[in-house]
Amino acid sequence: MALLAWDEVTWPTFVAGLEGFRDHFPRAARAPDARPESAADIIRILNRWACRLSTERAPGALETWLGENAASLGKVESLAISDQRLPARAEGLGGMHDDLIAHMHANGVNSMGDAAASKALYLLHPRLFVMWDKEIRRSAPEGYGVYLLEMHALALRLAEEWPADEIEAYLQELLGYETRKTLAKYLDEFNWFEAVGRGQLAAQGAP
């Protein structure tokens, strides 16, 4: 699995990664799920994404965590990954990710890890939280807060190159998606394809 050098990513390489994800992993690239309305909805979506969370314990545990963190989640609702206010919030956002994992483990949901936690946060605020997994984490071993800082910096660097004011609308048209995705989702798709997808294709002998 490849390590990612985000400071070397340019607009052409970013688009190439997104095209590779779309072309070779069409099931994962399909239209995003509707925004969940409850903790149970989040768990159902996460399990469709192969997170393997307990359908007995996970919904209640997540509902409790959401209640305890409602104020904190509300304070970041207006943020996006490219927002200039993000660096000042990154440490707290990383703590939120880690606290979710710790809370779920304390309530018997031991399968809640980096991937599931970041996916849950993404479902709550899809413009802000960028998903990751254990392979992508290898490129940001300092933790989720540092990872978000890397994604923020990458988003700003791409902003200097992308050929349109509305990056999400531009990428939707360029890639031919019926539904608009957030920049945070595109960053996740690029990272997964470069860290994992290319290796899978190489193992299969794909060009």
Side-chain angles (χ1 to χ4, degrees):
M1 303 298 181
L3 291 176
L4 300 167
W6 288 299
D7 58 347
E8 299 176 4
V9 177
T10 63
W11 174 258
T13 58
F14 184 63
V15 171
L18 295 178
E19 290 174 335
F21 182 81
R22 175 201 63 191
D23 295 343
H24 295 287
F25 301 93
R27 182 178 178 183
R30 73 182 191 277
D33 291 90
R35 192 163 184 173
E37 298 182 358
S38 67
D41 286 344
I42 293 174
I43 298 302
R44 278 194 290 271
I45 294 172
L46 294 181
N47 282 339
R48 286 206 300 270
W49 292 349
C51 290
R52 300 180 178 85
L53 302 171
S54 167
T55 56
E56 295 180 356
R57 294 185 297 273
L62 179 58
E63 184 174 6
T64 301
W65 186 87
L66 291 174
E68 293 174 351
N69 290 271
S72 297
L73 289 166
K75 290 178 180 178
V76 300
E77 188 170 5
S78 65
L79 293 183
I81 191 61
S82 58
D83 197 300
Q84 296 288 355
R85 296 170 293 173
L86 187 142
R89 300 289 188 95
E91 183 176 355
L93 296 171
M96 190 179 297
H97 167 276
D98 296 345
D99 183 68
L100 174 56
I101 295 174
H103 173 87
M104 298 298 280
H105 287 188
N107 286 273
V109 188
N110 296 319
S111 52
M112 174 66 76
D114 290 331
S118 65
K119 291 176 189 294
L121 292 171
Y122 162 79
L123 289 170
L124 292 166
H125 292 319
R127 297 176 63 242
L128 171 61
F129 292 105
V130 183
M131 294 180 279
W132 71 344
D133 59 19
K134 65 180 181 180
E135 294 302 333
I136 296 171
R137 179 166 185 155
R138 293 173 60 236
S139 301
E142 300 90 346
Y144 189 70
V146 173
Y147 174 64
L148 285 184
L149 284 175
E150 291 279 7
M151 294 301 95
H152 172 72
L154 175 56
L156 295 184
R157 287 197 300 273
L158 292 171
E160 298 176 357
E161 297 185 48
W162 66 51
D165 292 333
E166 290 289 339
I167 180 63
E168 294 168 359
Y170 180 84
L171 288 173
Q172 179 185 356
E173 181 177 357
L174 179 69
L175 298 167
Y177 291 128
E178 294 183 359
T179 304
R180 183 177 298 190
K181 301 180 182 181
T182 66
L183 179 56
K185 182 65 168 65
Y186 284 121
L187 290 167
D188 162 64
E189 292 179 0
F190 172 81
N191 288 339
W192 187 88
F193 182 73
E194 296 297 333
V196 181
R198 284 191 185 277
Q200 290 186 2
L201 293 174
Q204 297 165 8

